[in-house]
Amino acid sequence: MAVEELSVVLPRVLIVSRRTVRKNKFVDFVGEYHLDLIVSYGAVPVIVPRVSGVHMLLDSFEPIHGVLLCEGEDIDPSLYNDELSNLSVEELEEIRRLHASDTAIDKEKDTIELRLAKLCLERNIPYLGICRGSQVLNVACGGTLIQDIGKEISKNLPENQRVVHMDYDNYDGHRHVIEVVEETPLHHWFKDSLEEEKMEISVNSYHHQGVKKLAQRFVPMAFAPDGLVEGFYDPDAYNPAEGKFIMGLQFHPERMRQEDSDEFDYPGCTFAYQEFVKAVVAYQKKLLSTTTIQKPLKLNQEMEKKRKIIVRSFSLARDLYEKGRTCQPSKTSDLDVGAEFLESNTALSLQQEARLMQMGATVRNASSYLQRLKMNEEKERLARKVMGKMSVEQLSDLKSFYNMMGQICSEVMERKLQDLMTLDEEF
């Protein structure tokens, strides 16, 4: 296959960048380990820049076959209605001092990522959340977060249960134990590395916040000794071979590598990305199969006969209108066929109504059409009034919802038409 064809063929995974400062200027970046793994397993990473206004342009990144969210600052607590867990002003200041690079909230990134997470949940687009990305997923589904593990969890535990989740002095080398839950994807990925009668592996850790209340739809896959959830997934939305994958990992498997080496700590470290991309590929195929232009439906003899009668009815009405002839009594029944078809299949506009009457077509119950049109106009007026009071974000969410409903409607309608054709062919 030609290299220039790959970008067309391979599925697209959206990844939102993180902002930093370099040479006194803002620079957007994404960790290269993520990009390497996505490419190596057969997808194309598409970086979404976290610049102002991008959250309104997400339609421009279609088609979206997968979303990988990773890295970033703390999520704005107001997005999950948390009251900062009764932390004192002094404690908050100490947290900001200890975790200066993480506590500077990035509202634009929050908005972009939450929109993408909700889009994935609405359309069943494969989603993998790493570290912050797992927290975004939990918040998008109604969960909450611990504002600071040290202040809210560790200080209330005995020394032997406390866990260091952030070690700035040993940033990439730091590890802590987690207990893997049986019969979860994480268990299957790391089963060859688990010691006999133990369900433990050691993972890296780069966070001072974590899941407080896990959203109802999710099932935990691992816990730290202090009780913190280290991984979770939606079992009803997990089947990579069928394009289903909704998961969050608090640790970074892509960075779990031996010192001064690209060799992973465990063979299972890459499986999250491998299975995620498998789901992305399957989702793309499923999307293509529903959007492929189908061959024109072949009508059976009876349907074709009805079609010709209706076409004749409209042709006759057109001739009467264009040539100004009076209708012969023998032709009236032909006009009725077209009128009945219109009445049973569509509501006409005022212009269409007037023209058909001029054409001589007998439109029955014309008053009911007019009444229906007036009702539709009133509904449209009320809808415009209500939407005029909605925020830009609410309007964007509303648009996404109706796009999703339109897609579902198209898929169901297409399936029903194919079923009808199958039945016709059998008879």
Side-chain angles (χ1 to χ4, degrees), residues 272-292:
Y273 289 83
Q274 185 175 339
E275 294 301 289
F276 169 64
V277 174
K278 180 193 290 185
V280 168
V281 171
Y283 181 84
Q284 183 200 33
K285 289 179 180 177
K286 187 162 59 174
L287 205 62
L288 289 172
S289 69
T290 58
T291 56
T292 301

Side-chain angles (χ1 to χ4, degrees), residues 45-286:
V46 177
I47 298 176
V48 180
R50 53 83 36 240
V51 295
S52 298
V54 166
H55 66 277
M56 295 298 298
L57 305 174
L58 295 179
D59 285 348
S60 300
F61 289 90
E62 297 280 3
I64 303 170
H65 304 119
V67 172
L68 167 64
L69 297 186
C70 51
E71 304 171 354
E73 295 79 4
D74 295 347
I75 300 169
D76 186 350
S78 67
L79 294 172
Y80 48 93
N81 301 318
D82 199 66
E83 298 179 352
L84 297 177
S85 307
N86 298 317
L87 295 172
S88 66
V89 175
E90 291 77 15
E91 286 176 318
L92 290 173
E93 284 299 323
E94 185 180 356
I95 292 168
R96 293 189 187 102
R97 188 172 64 255
L98 287 172
H99 308 288
S101 63
D102 293 322
T103 52
I105 291 171
D106 186 340
K107 291 191 175 183
E108 184 66 31
K109 185 174 173 71
D110 287 348
T111 303
I112 295 169
E113 294 193 340
L114 281 169
R115 288 249 177 118
L116 285 174
K118 290 176 181 178
L119 185 67
C120 290
L121 296 166
E122 289 168 2
R123 288 163 46 179
N124 293 318
I125 299 172
Y127 178 105
L128 174 59
I130 302 292
C131 198
R132 170 191 155 99
S134 68
Q135 297 172 10
V136 169
L137 179 60
N138 187 48
V139 170
C141 292
T144 61
L145 304 178
I146 297 165
Q147 293 298 299
D148 185 76
I149 297 168
K151 298 296 182 186
E152 297 182 53
I153 302 294
S154 300
K155 71 176 185 179
N156 299 320
L157 294 174
E159 190 71 32
N160 64 340
Q161 290 183 20
R162 294 180 184 179
V163 177
V164 176
H165 289 278
M166 177 73 88
D167 186 346
Y168 291 106
D169 295 327
N170 187 22
Y171 199 62
D172 276 323
H174 176 63
R175 301 285 187 272
H176 70 74
V177 169
I178 63 170
E179 184 175 351
V180 178
V181 177
E182 289 189 53
E183 299 306 318
T184 62
L186 205 63
H187 176 212
H188 297 309
W189 298 342
F190 288 90
K191 63 182 179 181
D192 292 337
S193 302
L194 297 170
E195 295 181 20
E196 192 174 345
E197 297 184 358
K198 274 192 173 184
M199 294 291 289
E200 294 179 348
I201 58 172
S202 293
V203 299
N204 52 14
S205 195
Y206 307 91
H207 61 103
H208 77 104
Q209 295 190 333
V211 170
K212 184 176 186 178
K213 182 187 79 174
L214 186 63
Q216 189 173 2
R217 69 184 289 167
F218 297 126
V219 171
M221 296 195 297
F223 294 93
D226 57 8
L228 193 74
V229 175
E230 289 281 341
F232 58 88
Y233 79 118
D234 182 348
D236 294 326
Y238 182 82
N239 189 332
E242 293 184 2
K244 298 178 181 180
F245 192 105
I246 302 290
M247 181 179 293
L249 298 176
Q250 185 59 73
F251 57 97
H252 282 259
E254 83 285 354
R255 295 177 68 163
M256 287 171 55
R257 309 189 185 214
Q258 297 178 17
E259 189 175 359
D260 299 324
S261 169
D262 278 338
E263 187 176 347
F264 288 97
D265 292 358
Y266 305 101
C269 288
T270 61
F271 284 8
Y273 289 83
Q274 185 175 339
E275 294 301 289
F276 169 64
V277 174
K278 180 193 290 185
V280 168
V281 171
Y283 181 84
Q284 183 200 33
K285 289 179 180 177
K286 187 162 59 174

Side-chain angles (χ1 to χ4, degrees), residues 162 191 301 319 322 391:
R162 294 180 184 179
K191 63 182 179 181
Q301 289 184 354
D319 290 343
E322 291 178 348
S391 67

